[in-house]
Amino acid sequence: MYVLKDNWSTYWEGFLGTVELTVWASLLALVLGFLMASFRVAPVGSLRVFGTVWVTVLRNTPLTLLFFAVLLGLPRFGLVLPFQVFAVLALGCYTSAFICEALRSGINTVPKGQGEAARSLGMSFGQTLSLVVLPQAFRSVIPPVGSTLIALAKNSAIAGAFSVTELLGTYKTINELGYNIVWTFVWIAVGYLVITLAISALFHLLELKWGVAR
């Protein structure tokens, strides 16, 4: 316990950094994932192509490489932002590809007749998607979206290698002070466990309320 007690402020700062990264990147991933899923099923060919390219490129690009591209590449084009913002962009964009596919899978579970009935009533594509299809698809995508955001929380550990304050990066400071490295990592693992269990509990509640009964 003395490792945690003596370094509580360091652990707490890293924990809050990871929580902040997870929250903001999750919001960005959900927004972009919803947008790309809409593009993937849109009647406009160019939008479908854009959505497909977005998902294909990001799902097949290592996250570490994406971090290098965003945190080191964008400043070369004159876009200078705090590293934490760049980390949110990298994590959010990467995860949005997986959110998109989860949402698209949910959309495909909705019977085509639902959309056809909405269009026969004069609804536009946007109205059909937002008012008819997505509310039904949402019920079936709660578990996979929750799992994806749990993965995002763990992937945020990569940000520590790019001078972003987060939980895993605390081991460097604590190790330099001469503390037992094994217990240092044990308490880091406990911190990630708290975050992932909180996300899991949240989505479990959502599933109990709105999920598909099986």
Side-chain angles (χ1 to χ4, degrees):
M1 289 295 295
Y2 73 89
V3 176
L4 178 63
K5 180 181 177 181
D6 294 350
N7 300 281
W8 174 253
S9 60
T10 302
Y11 273 118
W12 182 245
E13 184 180 6
F15 180 82
L16 291 180
T18 294
V19 170
E20 188 173 359
L21 273 177
T22 300
V23 169
W24 288 114
S26 295
L27 292 175
L28 179 61
L30 289 170
V31 171
L32 289 177
F34 168 78
L35 185 63
M36 292 304 134
S38 302
F39 285 0
R40 293 294 304 273
V41 299
V44 182
S46 57
L47 292 180
R48 291 198 302 272
V49 170
F50 183 86
T52 300
V53 171
W54 178 276
V55 170
T56 301
V57 170
L58 290 176
R59 288 184 73 188
N60 293 284
T61 300
L63 181 55
T64 304
L65 179 60
L66 186 60
F67 263 89
F68 274 110
V70 173
L71 275 79
L72 303 181
L74 292 181
R76 293 178 177 272
F77 294 94
L79 184 59
V80 180
L81 296 170
F83 271 19
Q84 188 173 24
V85 176
F86 282 136
V88 168
L89 288 175
L91 280 170
C93 291
Y94 178 79
T95 308
S96 70
F98 298 90
I99 296 289
C100 169
E101 289 302 275
L103 292 176
R104 190 170 70 93
S105 297
I107 291 172
N108 289 336
T109 65
V110 179
K112 292 183 179 180
Q114 298 283 331
E116 293 172 355
R119 287 191 295 272
S120 69
L121 294 175
M123 289 186 177
S124 65
F125 170 74
Q127 290 174 324
T128 300
L129 189 64
S130 61
L131 299 177
V132 177
V133 177
L134 283 178
Q136 298 180 68
F138 171 74
R139 301 175 63 204
S140 63
V141 302
I142 294 174
V145 169
S147 298
T148 302
L149 295 185
I150 287 174
L152 183 153
K154 293 183 288 186
N155 287 338
S156 67
I158 297 176
F162 296 90
S163 302
V164 177
T165 301
E166 52 79 43
L167 189 56
L168 182 62
T170 59
Y171 89 90
K172 301 175 184 176
T173 301
I174 298 173
N175 188 45
E176 288 173 357
L177 296 175
Y179 288 91
N180 188 306
I181 191 66
V182 174
W183 284 105
T184 299
F185 279 112
V186 166
W187 289 116
I188 288 174
V190 170
Y192 279 107
L193 186 62
V194 170
I195 294 171
T196 55
L197 286 179
I199 298 173
S200 179
L202 173 62
F203 277 85
H204 179 65
L205 292 175
L206 293 176
E207 188 175 9
L208 288 176
K209 187 171 183 178
W210 288 300
V212 177
R214 301 186 187 280

